[in-house]
Amino acid sequence: RVKEKWAATRPKHPPTSLALQHFDAAYSVHLGPLWPSVRCALLSERKYGALFNNFSSDTLLEDLGAQGCRDFISNVETEVQPPEPAVGDSGYQQLSPNIRCFVFPRGDVSRFKPARPDQDGLLGYYLMDAASVLPCLALNVQAGHNVLDLCAAPGGKTLALLQTASLGFLCVNDSSVSRTSRLRKVLRSYVPKQHLTDEKIRVTTLDGTHWGEIERNVFDRVLVDVPCTTDRHSLLEDDNNIFSKSRTGERRGLPQLQLQLLLAGIEAACPGGEIVYSTCTLSPHQNASVVEQALHWARENHGIQLEVVDLRRLTHLFRNTFHFAPDLHLGEMVVPHLAANFGPIYMCKMRRLT
Ligand code: SAM
């Protein structure tokens, strides 16, 4: 018998096992009877969505249709009345007609082929968790808007925002140098040069927690897609895993970093501007608790009043594509499900009143 080479160096408790122990303890309480099925989905192969690239000249729409997938955004079923608008839902959620994301039907676990470059070298679609498009739709960008994407790399949501083709100006930032270069590469692979000029887009590598000191009361829309425990990655990949022993301090510090980033995003937005906070974790400490603290801090320490915008109309539109957690008191969350294995994605939208 050949002794496997890695046996001696493999940690006794690999980060993926530590993550599972942690999630079993925390989420069996937080999600109750939902947790066993969510756990099963998280440990299974995830489903991707293909974010369609409107800048590519490739005639892929028919191809994607022929493969059996559909654009879940334009195919929303609206025959059932959405819930009545609640307090804080002061405007009907519009859907950008230009963001298109293809998915295979429920229960179909087919994979997308890698995207091909068109005659100009631009790729036809970007593969990402289809639920990641929801925070971009929730942001509801309107023509001419000045938009900030505070934690943007590697750039999936930036690309979705650029598809709207209605941005006035887009500021794209990420504090990591290596991830920002990946983001620049993504932009070059999907967006023609004439849409990446200094008049249209600015890419920076700054610590986003200080954004409020740089540009305050400026942006119509701010996306704060924070670093988190990336639950799916933490359960499946030992490399670069935030549950590794050496990263314990960093992991414990996440809620504080998330709060600082959200507060900076709130300060960067203009009065009347809208902010979407998003994560890819199920953890209430990184989701609703962060939002609650930010609302409190913004009011008490910065004199900024905010209202939480009800996203139930948006989630209602996509109820046949994603599974949403029932009865969250703040924000909405896509929970993984074996028949629709997207997420987790948490999002909460706020509007600045002052
Ligand atoms: N929005 C990205 C997308 O859709 O592709 C994913 C963003 S990822 C969830 C979080 C990002 O936050 C990471 O790329 C990380 O480098 C960045 N980040 C971490 N700390 C930051 C900070 N203090 N300021 C800005 N970005 C930060």
Side-chain angles (χ1 to χ4, degrees), residues 159-234:
L159 271 189
L161 293 174
L162 282 165
Q163 299 306 313
T164 61
S166 61
L167 303 176
F169 189 75
L170 178 62
C171 272
V172 186
N173 178 67
D174 198 284
S175 62
S176 153
V177 175
S178 58
R179 287 175 66 93
T180 312
S181 28
R182 238 174 101 195
L183 166 75
R184 285 181 196 276
K185 200 169 159 215
V186 167
L187 290 176
R188 282 196 301 271
S189 307
Y190 286 85
V191 187
K193 278 196 188 103
Q194 64 268 29
H195 291 270
L196 297 175
T197 58
D198 294 348
E199 291 76 48
K200 296 190 172 173
I201 189 165
R202 186 177 79 202
V203 182
T204 50
T205 310
L206 299 169
D207 178 352
T209 59
H210 299 298
W211 207 276
E213 296 153 29
I214 310 168
E215 280 178 311
R216 195 175 302 169
N217 303 335
V218 168
F219 294 94
D220 302 292
R221 297 288 186 266
V222 181
L223 179 61
V224 187
D225 186 39
V226 292
C228 66
T229 42
T230 51
D231 294 359
R232 208 181 261 279
H233 174 87
S234 296

Side-chain angles (χ1 to χ4, degrees), residues 14-69:
T16 44
S17 311
L18 295 174
L20 187 57
Q21 273 174 28
H22 179 94
F23 294 155
D24 274 334
Y27 298 158
S28 56
V29 176
H30 168 48
L31 295 175
L34 260 186
W35 173 236
S37 60
V38 174
R39 180 187 201 267
C40 187
L42 273 175
L43 291 167
S44 309
E45 187 173 320
R46 75 181 324 162
K47 255 179 108 156
Y48 281 93
L51 175 71
F52 191 79
N53 185 17
N54 297 318
F55 299 112
S56 163
S57 58
D58 220 343
T59 49
L60 275 171
L61 281 179
E62 280 170 22
D63 246 34
L64 288 165
Q67 284 180 48
C69 44

